[in-house]
Amino acid sequence: MIRAQGITKRYGELTVLEGLCLTVEPGELVSILGESGSGKSTLLRIIAGLEEADAGRLLLGGKPPAPEPGKRGVSMTFQEPALWNHMTVEDNILYGCPLRGRQQRREQAALLAGRLGIGELLKRYPYEISGGQAKRAALARAIACRKSVLLLDEPFANLDEKSKAIAMEAVRQCCAGMTVLLVTHSREEAECLSQKRYQLERGRLYG
């Protein structure tokens, strides 16, 4: 569960989020729509522990989150894929995966890559694949972490229509039961995937 109460974030004199309140129940997929610069990514970064709010309260799983991002039980995709160039696509996907058995890990990577349409790329390196393929590899990595909360920052942006359809179906199949917060500028994506949708404008959420 995610519960944000009165979250405010300022950069100098610019108020990006103002008294924002949001609840995402366990197992829900909730989307936030908004234009570029509306504060969507900032909200995700606060939930993930990559930035601090100036005011407000955040609860994850009913408790205040750990200060360290790695201990929050949260995985996140970024607008840029942020893959490790010295690691293969397979190793990138498995980075942070809790499975221990070698065969189990390889099967997990193959399953997620296959569902995202990049199964033939597992032994390649990020500099050998396209930006859209890298984006899908980053999505597979976030899912493979098996965290209780998944934050998706424009995960389908800049994908062609076929790749987008594949990636959206993979989220639908692989994230069932997870608590997912999706931010996007696409109403089509939000309506297709989420149970609840909000609009972020001038730092506030509107249902």
Side-chain angles (χ1 to χ4, degrees):
M1 181 193 73
I2 304 169
R3 179 163 293 159
Q5 300 171 317
I7 297 295
T8 296
K9 180 65 178 178
R10 300 183 182 90
Y11 297 108
E13 296 184 357
L14 176 64
T15 299
V16 180
L17 302 173
E18 184 172 8
L20 182 145
C21 295
L22 170 70
T23 297
V24 183
E25 298 293 348
E28 274 192 325
L29 196 161
V30 172
S31 62
I32 296 178
L33 288 150
E35 300 297 326
S36 296
S38 61
K40 304 187 305 297
S41 296
T42 298
L43 175 61
L44 293 193
R45 291 177 65 83
I46 289 171
I47 295 170
L50 302 175
E51 294 193 36
E52 286 189 22
D54 295 313
R57 187 181 186 211
L58 177 67
L59 299 175
L60 295 176
K63 301 177 182 178
E68 303 90 343
K71 295 182 179 180
R72 290 196 171 201
V74 171
S75 61
M76 178 175 172
T77 66
F78 301 89
Q79 291 187 24
E80 296 300 323
L83 300 178
W84 299 98
N85 275 322
H86 66 286
M87 297 166 60
T88 64
V89 169
E90 180 180 51
D91 289 337
N92 267 284
I93 291 173
L94 293 175
Y95 186 83
C97 176
L99 296 176
R100 296 300 177 192
R102 189 176 194 181
Q103 186 61 30
Q104 277 186 307
R105 287 170 60 82
R106 297 183 80 172
E107 288 174 357
Q108 175 77 348
L111 172 65
L112 290 173
R115 289 202 170 157
L116 284 157
I118 53 171
E120 74 283 5
L121 305 177
L122 286 172
K123 299 306 179 184
R124 296 191 190 179
Y125 289 86
Y127 54 81
E128 297 177 313
I129 64 178
S130 71
Q133 291 166 336
K135 193 129 188 173
R136 284 179 278 163
L139 177 57
R141 178 179 60 187
I143 296 171
C145 288
R146 296 190 171 188
K147 302 294 187 181
S148 57
V149 173
L150 178 60
L151 307 175
L152 302 177
D153 192 353
E154 299 280 6
F156 316 117
N158 302 319
L159 296 182
D160 60 58
E161 289 304 312
K162 181 180 178 181
S163 297
K164 181 187 292 189
I166 290 171
M168 289 176 66
E169 183 59 28
V171 167
R172 189 181 289 107
Q173 292 178 359
C174 299
C175 299
M178 298 176 68
T179 303
V180 183
L181 183 57
L182 163 71
V183 301
T184 177
H185 62 272
S186 168
R187 184 163 296 279
E188 176 191 1
E189 295 170 9
E191 291 178 349
C192 182
L193 287 174
S194 56
Q195 289 99 5
K196 292 193 298 190
R197 294 171 289 279
Y198 297 93
Q199 186 79 30
L200 182 58
E201 294 179 10
R202 296 183 294 279
R204 296 181 180 273
L205 279 183
Y206 300 89

